[in-house]
Amino acid sequence: MVELRVNGHAYELDAPVGRTLAEALRLDLGLTGTKVACGEGHCGACTVQLDGVPVLSCITLLHTVGGREVTTIEGLAEHPLVDAFVRADALQCGFCTPGQIVSAAALVESTPQPTSEEVRHAMSGNLCRCGAYPRIEEAVVAWRG
Ligand code: FES
Ligand code: FES
């Protein structure tokens, strides 16, 4: 049994050894905002925050996160970054967007006025196959509107 908190709610999950955090979120808790693309730790689509730090949930085992606080895109629904992405039209297919926003939210928490360079550095692990990088960067730099 693994106890964890997700977006402020406490859960106890009985999952087989080897279950990834991404599988637990999507399949056990129905939090499908977290996307899985590569499934191998290369693209950042599955990014969630673990105690405020971005991690790749597709290569994080559920059994290693007991007692920790997980924040997914569902927990950031009211974050101003969501509007900022819409204003900047910072997406095309949108598949990478949850992971982008989760990473960006951790960045602006520690660096409320990030420069373009800081955005690029902090979000270098979040790939966008649609090439929306300039608008993603614009959205994060201007996230407070
Ligand atoms: S799906 Fe996790 S890094 Fe690509
Ligand atoms: S908007 Fe399509 S992968 Fe980023």
Side-chain angles (χ1 to χ4, degrees):
M1 193 72 75
V2 178
E3 294 179 14
L4 75 169
R5 291 181 66 80
V6 181
N7 302 328
H9 302 285
Y11 295 96
E12 284 188 358
L13 293 178
D14 190 10
V17 172
R19 189 84 154 160
T20 66
L21 178 56
E23 289 170 333
L25 292 169
R26 290 178 53 83
L27 304 177
D28 299 332
L29 299 181
L31 295 171
T32 54
T34 298
K35 303 304 181 199
V36 176
C38 71
E40 297 180 343
H42 300 306
C43 74
C46 64
T47 305
V48 300
Q49 292 178 11
L50 200 53
D51 294 332
V53 177
V55 299
L56 301 171
S57 63
C58 75
I59 54 167
T60 300
L61 293 176
L62 175 65
H63 286 81
T64 67
V65 303
R68 313 278 296 274
E69 174 75 35
V70 179
T71 304
T72 70
I73 187 64
E74 288 89 349
L76 298 171
E78 304 299 322
H79 197 290
L81 272 164
V82 175
D83 278 344
F85 268 62
V86 173
R87 278 198 310 274
D89 198 16
L91 57 137
Q92 287 184 43
C93 77
F95 205 79
C96 72
T97 310
Q100 303 279 3
I101 291 177
V102 169
S103 287
L107 170 64
V108 301
E109 184 69 27
S110 60
T111 309
Q113 288 184 294
T115 63
S116 293
E117 196 164 305
E118 287 169 327
V119 172
R120 278 183 226 159
H121 182 261
M123 298 178 62
S124 60
N126 290 88
L127 305 186
C128 174
R129 288 176 207 191
C130 299
Y133 297 112
R135 290 180 179 182
I136 291 170
E137 187 181 309
E138 180 188 328
V140 179
V141 167
W143 71 284
R144 288 203 271 208

